[in-house]
Amino acid sequence: MVSVRKSHQMTQTSFEQWLLSLEISKEKCQILENIWSENKVHHEIDEQCQTKSLEMVEILASLNLDKDSLAAAFLIPLIEYDYISLTDVEEQYSDSVFLLCKGVAQMEAIKALRQSQSNKVSVNQVDNIRKMLLAMVEDVRAVVIKLAERLCQLRLVKNTDEESRVIVAKETANIYAPLANRLGIGQLKWELEDISFRYLHPSVYKKIAKLLDEKRLDREQYMVDFVSNLSQQLADLNIQGEVYGRPKHIYSIWKKMQQKSLDFEQLYDVRAVRIVVEKLQDCYGALGIVHTNWQHLPKEFDDYVATPKPNGYQSIHTVVLGPEGKSVEVQIRTKQMHDDAELGVAAHWRYKEGSAHGKTSGFDEKVSWLRKILQWQEDVTESGELIEELRSQVFEDRIYVFTPNGDVVDLPNGSTPLDFAYYIHSNVGHCCIGAKVFGRIVPFTYRLKTGDKIEILTSKTPNPSRDWLNPNLHYIHAPRARAKVQHFFKLQDRDKHLAQGKDLLEQELLKHDLMQVDLLSTSKRFNIKTVDDLYVAIGSGHARLQQVVNHLLLENEKSQPPVELDPQSLVKPQYHQAKSAVDANGITVSGVGNLLTHMAKCCHPVPGDEIMGFITQGRGISVHQADCEQLANSLTQQPEREIEVQWGENPTQHYQVTVKLVCVDRQGLVRDISTIIANERVSIMGMESRSDHSNQTVIMSLTIEIANNEMLTRLISKLLQLDDIIEAKRL
């Protein structure tokens, strides 16, 4: 069945007459007149483009779409033929019209769905298809406009070469007709299927069309008598309704012949009648009349009123043996069911004039709409036309959930409420303290499903947990959310590194009497933008403290005025100053070196620590950190054994210290820790660890050799930069 529309005879009628024939509101007429006059003035529009614009408007007017949809339908062929651009539409028309045109343009991504099985889908194509899906869910009108555009395109390729017709027909049959079916828009579905079938199987189409035409005269009188008799029966029982013969769809006839292996003469629905009544109960009253007057075939009875089809279709189907034993199919439905069957989603998606973007944002409608889109995807996948990679990347690995306002959010499959919160905004994620799905509190580990409606509960202050980063606890699935949590804790570490770096640098500057220096120019010398960033770099170990100090010393020396030399200063003195000898541990005792010393194992002092000596019995001098608790206890009992000790000027030895690490347990953790230690050129002398499986943590004790306290500080800072290290400190 192919409809003939008034736009096909535009050469014989004027635009005004055509517009009047649409029988639409004055407001709709006005916006169409404005578009027509504006573009006629500026462009000499091609006849093919003009025909497509008018036919699209005519199709959508019959589907009761609003004025913005009709305006967008008029403009889309003008965009396609490059008379105007999307930018022009955005500047000259309302936001609603622009968004509809943009949504239809995004649906060009459908072309990626018909690639061959051997082809790969690019990242851009996948992204475009996701955008297309979201645009389809956000505004149903864009899809209906696209279906109208495809129907017009099918007509326009009628006189082109066979290859072009077949390409468009395959695309329509595999992609657009199933979509129209899922939306329940029978008025477009049948026409898309019939024209595609005519291009793909011209000989079969003509054969069935000829058989239908040959039987038409015999059938017409038979159907007039049957309809008249049935109408009288309904009237006698006060059932108000309309009875008429329904149109035949060649594609559906062929499909039924193929599925049931029937000849044309064996088909039950060649003779078909439709009863449209006012009330639901009248459907079953009419069914009783039909079955009372004529014998029905039980195998051919379907009650889609009690059990609607997946696309929402409702109707009672039955086949009876009429006069002369000829089969007649009877369909019974209400007026509302008929509108739904013919117009589908367009029948009940009513647009209120003046509403935001001309569309509703009702949650239930969008969920239903989303499910139809995903069911359509399953239809085309099963047809073998979608490649597996695209299916997994776009559909199986994605879920589509809703905000409380009904906006659609596209997330990876397996996402949790925290993933959703961080998708909305970083601060929403940081402040998240709970989540509701359909008003019910759910845990952070709850796996979201397509169609879920989510509400995030927040606190006034951000307080994310480091546990969220533990992959074994399954709080976060999406890499995007994980990166935002990591960034939050890195900013917290920045404050700590800033304080550490500032203290270290100020101590060195004080030691060298360099308090009046230009730290900003020094920062730029090390490719660091600000002084605070310099402190952070020093505290984290990314910038070496000694390199910064050496640079400052050099700059300070350059800025000093030249000093006149005293000739006497060039005379070599007659004596040599005795240097204090340093023992094997790099220690001098009260200015005297080479005395027997050893490092205390209770506190393991290293160069840079403040130290104190304790005279032992028979083992020389024990060197402790100045704040060592064991040293304090010993001096409480024997204060006379205290002795002053100092580090030598250039100690070259290495000293053992123990570092305690508290970490989130995972595979590869020891490898990552040892890599950092090796990169700092530090030797590991020993390692002990114990795991706590209940908390998924591990505690490590590392015995390492270092040269000084600065090296230890830098190493601990580097270790703390690992995401899974909770605590690192020297014992």
Side-chain angles (χ1 to χ4, degrees), residues 226 229-239 275 282-295 320 330 332:
F226 188 90
N229 187 4
L230 183 54
S231 297
Q232 186 61 47
Q233 298 279 352
L234 293 174
D236 290 344
L237 291 179
N238 294 321
I239 296 177
I275 304 173
D282 290 343
C283 290
Y284 293 97
L287 178 65
I289 292 173
V290 172
H291 283 184
T292 300
N293 286 275
W294 299 284
Q295 180 185 353
V320 297
V330 181
I332 308 170

Side-chain angles (χ1 to χ4, degrees), residues 223-224 226-227 242-248 270-275 328-329:
M223 293 305 297
V224 167
F226 188 90
V227 167
E242 182 183 1
V243 184
Y244 57 89
R246 72 174 183 87
K248 308 301 178 297
V270 173
R271 303 171 193 86
V273 171
R274 180 171 290 147
I275 304 173
V328 180
E329 184 192 53

Side-chain angles (χ1 to χ4, degrees), residues 525-697:
R525 161 67 178 78
F526 289 92
N527 294 321
I528 297 172
K529 293 183 179 180
T530 67
V531 175
D532 282 352
D533 289 342
L534 178 64
Y535 291 145
V536 172
I538 294 172
S540 64
H542 286 104
R544 295 184 180 275
L545 175 61
Q546 201 55 49
Q547 285 184 339
V548 175
V549 173
N550 288 341
H551 174 74
L552 289 170
L553 287 169
L554 182 61
E555 292 298 313
N556 184 62
E557 185 179 333
K558 290 179 180 178
S559 65
Q560 297 297 326
V563 180
E564 294 186 8
L565 290 175
D566 181 1
Q568 292 296 324
S569 66
L570 301 176
V571 179
K572 188 174 183 180
Q574 297 298 317
Y575 63 92
H576 296 282
Q577 183 179 359
K579 293 183 179 178
S580 298
V582 179
D583 70 3
N585 289 315
I587 300 294
T588 62
V589 182
S590 295
V592 180
N594 282 336
L595 295 180
L596 179 61
T597 63
H598 66 271
M599 297 297 167
K601 294 184 178 179
C602 55
C603 56
H604 296 289
V606 296
D609 293 336
E610 292 185 20
I611 54 176
M612 183 67 69
F614 182 80
I615 303 172
T616 65
Q617 293 181 351
R619 293 189 298 114
I621 298 171
S622 176
V623 181
H624 295 257
Q625 290 189 44
D627 58 355
C628 176
E629 292 183 5
Q630 188 167 329
L631 173 65
N633 291 334
S634 299
L635 290 177
T636 301
Q637 300 172 15
Q638 297 172 308
E640 71 279 1
R641 290 178 178 270
E642 180 181 348
I643 187 169
E644 186 179 347
V645 294
Q646 302 89 24
W647 296 106
E649 292 183 4
N650 294 301
T652 58
Q653 295 88 315
H654 282 73
Y655 305 87
Q656 289 190 6
V657 295
T658 302
V659 176
K660 177 186 175 183
L661 302 177
V662 180
C663 320
V664 176
D665 197 5
R666 64 169 172 83
Q667 289 185 348
L669 178 63
V670 175
R671 178 199 62 211
D672 294 343
I673 291 172
S674 59
T675 299
I676 291 175
I677 294 174
N679 290 340
E680 292 298 309
R681 301 188 179 182
V682 174
S683 298
I684 301 176
M685 308 307 294
M687 177 185 290
E688 294 181 2
S689 67
R690 63 181 184 277
S691 298
D692 184 349
H693 294 294
S694 62
N695 294 327
Q696 295 290 328
T697 58

